[in-house]
């Protein structure tokens, strides 16, 4: 009996050991899988966030000077009908397209006269869609046109609290009252004019604190007339009331990370839901945030194939479709993306 009992105990012990070992192995495998999955989630949310959450729709352009072609297109804007205006900087002209990229018209040539351009940089459309504004770096001025390209007026930056030639406005935005706001990169200020060029005020200063700038560049208004500005030198976005009162900011210097930017974020746009889109020129990516600066999505990569970009400068959102249009500058084309839901 003792011998039989011993064998049973040994057998029972051996069975329990086997189960424990199997359980330990199973826990180890599951733990490894969880760790591996967590690693993949981390990689997908940072290195590959969004997983192509916006899909390529179409592109148009190509290098050249014919209608519908570009030489280093820089900025773009969209009117209330969805028509797209592009600053064809290398050809010193503005080109106008339908929402699907069909060429409509063009205006401009190289020079200093009315309707001419040198280093045409940015473009914007008034909220009512009636007027188009441009800013030039070399001619140090804003020009105002009808939506068909007919010259209306122009103004420079004298009597703005500094030498006109020392001003370097890079982008402009128009509020719901038709006032024009410019980001003065050289002086870290925002200049404000009425729709006909009368100087109204200026605010801002150079620095790293809230409300200060280093190389302010992109600017856009949301539906509440609050503005977002890309503070490039500080690798962040700042939000203000239109009188210059600081609201919030987000971002810091880093690459290929959510809510962080390189020091080259020239373009910013807002959609009909007041979501914010920021383009990172060095990383060739677009980040999307809600109105409070909370990260939503990121997509894009460097290249010349469909959906990839080389030094993109600006972007705009079609308020009716939500589609995103990008100036793919080094590839001399416009690309259109739509959200994958």
């Amino acid at each position: 009996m003792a011998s039989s009992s011993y064998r049973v105990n040994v057998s029972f012990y051996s069975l329990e050991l086997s189960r424990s070992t199997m359980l330990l192995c199973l826990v180890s495998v599951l733990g490894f899988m969880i760790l591996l999955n967590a690693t993949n989630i981390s990689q997908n949310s940072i290195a590959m966030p969004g997983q192509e959450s916006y899909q390529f729709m179409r592109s148009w352009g190509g290098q050249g000077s014919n209608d519908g072609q570009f030489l280093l297109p820089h900025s773009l804007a969209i009117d209330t009908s969805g028509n797209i205006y592009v600053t064809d900087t290398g050809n010193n002209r503005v080109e106008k397209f339908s929402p699907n990229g069909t060429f409509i018209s063009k205006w401009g040539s190289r020079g200093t006269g009315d309707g001419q351009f040198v280093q045409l940089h940015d473009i914007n459309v008034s909220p009512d869609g009636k007027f188009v504004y441009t800013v030039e770096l070399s001619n140090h001025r804003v020009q105002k046109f009808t939506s068909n390209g007919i010259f209306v007026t122009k103004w420079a930056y004298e009597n703005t609290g500094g030498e006109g030639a020392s001003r370097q406005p890079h982008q402009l935005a128009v509020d719901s009252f038709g006032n024009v706001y410019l980001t003065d990169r050289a002086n870290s200020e925002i200049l404000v004019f009425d729709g006909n060029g009368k100087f109204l005020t200026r605010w801002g200063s150079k620095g790293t604190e809230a409300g200060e700038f280093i190389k302010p560049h992109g600017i856009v208004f949301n539906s509440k007339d609050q503005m977002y500005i890309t503070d490039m030198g500080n690798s962040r976005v700042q939000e203000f009331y239109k009188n210059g009162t600081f609201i919030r900011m987000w971002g810091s210097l880093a690459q290929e990370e959510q809510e962080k930017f390189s020091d080259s974020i020239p373009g910013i746009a807002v959609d009909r839901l007041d979501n914010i889109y920021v383009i990172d020129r060095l990383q060739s990516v677009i980040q999307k945030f809600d109105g409070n600066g909370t990260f939503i999505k990121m997509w894009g990569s460097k290249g010349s194939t469909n959906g990839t970009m080389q030094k993109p400068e600006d972007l705009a959102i079609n308020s009716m479709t939500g589609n995103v249009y990008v100036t793919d500058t080094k590839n001399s084309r416009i690309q259109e993306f739509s959200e994958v839901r």
Side-chain angles (χ1 to χ4, degrees), residues 52-87:
E52 299 296 326
S53 59
Y54 275 77
Q55 66 180 358
F56 170 82
M57 291 291 290
R58 63 174 61 89
S59 70
W60 69 89
Q63 186 170 324
S65 57
N66 295 327
D67 292 350
Q69 294 183 316
F70 307 107
L71 183 59
L72 301 176
H74 192 278
S75 296
L76 76 169
I78 299 178
D79 66 19
T80 53
S81 298
N83 296 314
I84 304 149
Y85 302 78
V86 181
T87 59

Side-chain angles (χ1 to χ4, degrees), residues 98-117:
S98 71
N100 64 6
T102 301
F103 175 82
I104 297 176
S105 63
K106 64 183 178 182
W107 71 86
S109 60
R110 182 177 177 84
T112 59
D114 295 347
Q116 293 184 312
F117 306 106

